[in-house]
Amino acid sequence: MSELDPNPFRELFDAEPRDAAAPDNARWVDLYRQLVAMMERQLEETREFAARAPHAVKQYLGRENIAILEEKIATFKRRLARWANTGTSDR
């Protein structure tokens, strides 16, 4: 298995314009809304699968997949808020 990226969001966040009031603000709001929605669907599907899986699989999914998805969704929701509320910067 390969090493996980210690900063998985770096490339994505670096691609954003520096100014939240940038002309393509609506594009970033839409991108983050879609990204959050997609990951929330993945999280729901994972939770549904875990609910009917054997205990060891449920434990693994809760510790790995579900926890990671929840963390990423929270991060993307913060970025969405940043873009939806133009003028704030967290860089």
Side-chain angles (χ1 to χ4, degrees):
M1 213 175 216
S2 66
E3 293 278 327
L4 294 177
D5 185 349
N7 190 351
F9 308 109
R10 180 179 348 120
E11 187 175 346
L12 174 61
F13 295 166
D14 286 350
E16 295 175 355
R18 295 260 181 235
D19 181 6
D24 58 350
N25 175 284
R27 176 176 173 242
W28 285 96
V29 169
D30 186 53
L31 286 169
Y32 279 115
R33 278 191 180 130
Q34 289 182 48
L35 189 55
V36 167
M38 176 195 66
M39 295 190 87
E40 285 178 335
R41 288 189 305 270
Q42 289 175 346
L43 179 58
E44 182 60 29
E45 185 176 332
T46 303
R47 284 181 173 147
E48 288 173 4
F49 179 80
R52 56 183 192 275
H55 181 72
V57 173
K58 188 178 302 189
Q59 290 295 101
Y60 168 79
L61 290 173
R63 183 179 61 248
E64 298 294 325
N65 298 65
I66 292 172
I68 290 168
L69 283 169
E70 288 172 340
E71 180 183 334
K72 288 183 178 184
I73 290 168
T75 298
F76 293 140
K77 282 183 175 180
R78 286 190 298 274
R79 297 309 274 195
L80 172 58
R82 174 184 186 265
W83 287 99
N85 299 311
T86 59
T88 58
S89 178
D90 59 357
R91 283 188 179 251

